[in-house]
């Protein structure tokens, strides 16, 4: 299962009762929301409260902001206008709270593998920590009130990151996507709505938030994920019997280990091939977690942040090749 499901994410949207939604909020109001949430976390009676750093988004340079998006810690919308926005981020980056994005609070938890119950439990504890000191906008019939009606109710979006090279190669994804929409789920590129899948990475998430409990939504997503993972594994068995595919896997590893320059798109494609080879047992000396980390670390902005240098596109391709070579040597 871990060969298919890379990570799990649970996100909750919340708003403060006495303040307009961020789109209608004054600069002073935004700052008040930030201070109230920051105080609720800092003074909360939980071990979670001690692990957050405060980041004022207007003081973050554009490269680091994009890196936060690449690592799925914030949304593209969140960095598009940084005035009056802030981020609370845990030291291991598994917990993050966006302040004044579409809603006052967007808290999220990211965990490894298929761990929806664990991620939801942590998100629920963080939500409870905030609820003890804040007055959330809530309606008995509608549930939690959010700026976008599609988030009304639980305000929860749960998702899993999937590696689906076999289903992608067999062109089954579009058919699967159509069936999933009937079940209240959606499958998209790794960075969510409007993004194209790269490296055969897909995000499967719930769409329904009204008229369903958080636990029911989590259970539904888990069941569908298990079915989809089983389909991928069956498709891999057939795919990996092909000598052409086995050759592609070996060639991909060779290029990654010896290339002097490599583009972002090529790196993701080749890393995806190698990950398939690891999962099928063809490659036995590589940890899949190493490949998963590389898939993030080779992203353009993240690469620049980690090297501590301002890199041109040409320089990024060189540094990317060096990084991959050092990890896979």
């Amino acid at each position: 299962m871990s060969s298919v499901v890379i990570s799990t994410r649970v996100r909750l949207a919340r708003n403060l009762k006495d303040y307009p939604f961020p789109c209608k909020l004054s600069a002073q109001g935004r700052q008040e929301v930030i201070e109230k949430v920051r105080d609720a976390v800092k003074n909360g009676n939980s071990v979670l409260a001690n692990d957050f750093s405060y980041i004022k988004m207007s003081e973050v340079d554009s490269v680091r902001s994009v890196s936060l998006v690449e690592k799925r810690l914030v949304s593209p919308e969140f960095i598009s206008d940084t005035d009056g926005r802030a981020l609370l981020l845990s030291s291991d980056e598994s917990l993050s709270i966006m302040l004044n994005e579409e809603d006052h609070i967007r808290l999220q938890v990211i965990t490894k593998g298929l761990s929806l119950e664990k991620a939801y439990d942590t998100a629920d504890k963080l939500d409870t920590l905030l609820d003890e000191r804040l007055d959330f906008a809530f309606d008995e019939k509608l549930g939690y009130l959010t700026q976008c009606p599609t988030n009304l109710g639980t305000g929860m979006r749960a998702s899993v990151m999937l590696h689906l090279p076999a289903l992608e190669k067999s062109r089954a994804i579009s058919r699967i996507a159509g069936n999933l929409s009937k079940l209240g789920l959606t499958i998209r590129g790794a960075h969510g709505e409007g993004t194209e899948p790269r490296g055969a990475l897909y995000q499967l998430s719930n769409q329904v938030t009204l008229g369903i409990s958080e636990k029911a939504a989590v259970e539904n997503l888990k069941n569908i994920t298990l079915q989809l993972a089983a389909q991928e594994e069956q498709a891999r068995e057939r795919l990996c019997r092909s000598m052409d595919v086995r050759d592609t896997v070996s060639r991909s590893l060779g290029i990654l280990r010896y290339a002097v320059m490599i583009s972002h798109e090529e790196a993701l494609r080749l890393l995806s091939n190698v990950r398939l080879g690891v999962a099928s047992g063809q490659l036995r000396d590589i940890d899949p977690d190493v490949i998963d980390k590389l898939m993030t670390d080779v992203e353009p902005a993240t690469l620049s942040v980690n090297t501590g240098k301002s890199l041109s596109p040409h320089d990024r391709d060189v540094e990317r090749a060096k990084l991959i070579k050092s990890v896979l040597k």
Side-chain angles (χ1 to χ4, degrees):
M1 186 61 59
S2 61
S3 66
V4 177
V5 186
I6 295 176
S7 63
T8 298
R9 180 174 67 172
V10 170
R11 190 199 72 200
L12 300 177
R14 299 288 185 261
N15 288 282
L16 304 190
K17 182 179 180 181
D18 297 327
Y19 289 85
F21 291 128
C23 64
K24 297 292 186 180
L25 201 53
S26 66
Q28 180 181 341
R30 287 186 172 213
Q31 191 57 40
E32 288 178 10
V33 167
I34 289 173
E35 292 305 322
K36 283 180 178 291
V37 177
R38 190 180 180 187
D39 179 71
V41 172
K42 182 179 179 181
N43 298 310
N45 184 27
S46 170
V47 293
L48 293 174
N50 301 319
D51 194 37
F52 283 94
S53 59
Y54 172 74
I55 301 170
K56 188 176 181 180
M57 292 306 298
S58 60
E59 297 176 355
V60 179
D61 65 60
S62 60
V63 175
R64 190 184 175 204
S65 293
V66 174
S67 176
L68 291 171
V69 174
E70 291 173 349
K71 293 191 285 185
R72 301 174 69 228
L73 299 175
V74 303
S75 66
E77 157 63 22
F78 188 62
I79 68 169
S80 64
D81 180 5
T82 58
D83 287 341
R85 289 177 172 173
L87 176 69
L88 294 171
L89 184 63
S90 67
S91 57
D92 65 357
E93 299 186 342
S94 64
L95 310 178
S96 61
I97 304 174
M98 288 184 286
L99 300 178
N100 293 324
E101 192 229 31
E102 185 175 83
D103 296 292
H104 296 145
I105 299 169
R106 286 284 181 94
L107 70 87
Q108 71 169 30
V109 177
I110 298 178
T111 56
K112 284 187 177 182
L114 181 58
S115 48
L116 280 160
E117 293 90 348
K118 178 183 177 182
Y120 170 71
D121 182 61
T122 302
D124 186 50
K125 287 177 179 175
L126 186 53
D127 184 36
T128 301
L129 170 69
L130 296 175
D131 192 36
E132 288 173 351
R133 291 177 172 270
L134 300 172
D135 192 4
F136 289 146
F138 184 84
D139 181 85
E140 289 297 329
K141 292 184 178 180
L142 297 175
Y144 290 102
L145 303 181
T146 56
Q147 181 177 313
C148 182
T150 60
N151 290 320
L152 276 174
T154 63
M156 185 189 78
R157 296 286 180 175
S159 65
V160 289
M161 181 76 75
L162 305 171
H163 184 226
L164 304 175
L167 290 176
E168 181 180 82
K169 192 170 182 63
S170 65
R171 299 182 180 180
I173 297 295
S174 58
R175 171 182 56 79
I176 290 171
N179 292 333
L180 288 172
S181 66
K182 300 173 186 176
L183 300 172
L185 300 172
T186 184
I187 190 166
R188 298 164 171 158
H191 292 286
E193 187 174 1
T195 63
E196 292 296 319
R198 294 176 300 182
L201 297 178
Y202 292 84
Q203 179 178 287
L204 175 67
S205 62
N206 70 301
Q207 281 187 303
V208 180
T209 60
L210 190 61
I212 185 173
S213 70
E214 291 96 333
K215 291 185 177 180
V218 164
E219 187 63 26
N220 183 46
L221 178 59
K222 181 180 179 180
N223 290 337
I224 299 301
T225 299
L226 291 172
Q227 294 177 38
L228 193 54
Q231 291 181 47
E232 170 65 21
E233 288 172 345
Q234 291 173 5
R236 287 182 186 184
E237 286 184 17
R238 296 189 296 270
L239 183 66
C240 291
R241 295 189 196 118
S242 166
M243 190 59 69
D244 287 342
V245 171
R246 293 176 65 83
D247 181 63
T248 296
V249 167
S250 294
R251 286 176 181 272
S252 296
L253 181 58
I255 294 171
L256 290 170
R257 280 180 167 164
Y258 295 102
V260 175
M261 295 175 59
I262 189 165
S263 70
H264 174 224
E265 185 175 344
E266 183 183 20
L268 289 181
R269 175 171 53 81
L270 299 179
L271 286 168
S272 175
N273 292 338
V274 168
R275 196 180 194 281
L276 175 62
V278 172
S280 68
Q282 180 181 340
L283 303 176
R284 300 181 183 276
D285 60 341
I286 299 175
D287 185 342
D289 288 344
V290 169
I291 301 299
D292 294 343
K293 188 173 187 303
L294 272 175
M295 283 183 147
T296 298
D297 288 347
V298 300
E299 293 280 346
T302 300
L303 187 67
S304 294
V305 170
N306 290 344
T307 57
K309 297 183 288 187
S310 178
L311 302 173
S312 67
H314 175 273
D315 291 339
R316 282 201 301 265
D317 291 351
V318 173
E319 290 294 331
R320 186 178 291 111
K322 287 181 182 178
L323 170 65
I324 296 170
K325 189 182 301 183
S326 68
V327 172
L328 296 180
K329 64 182 178 182

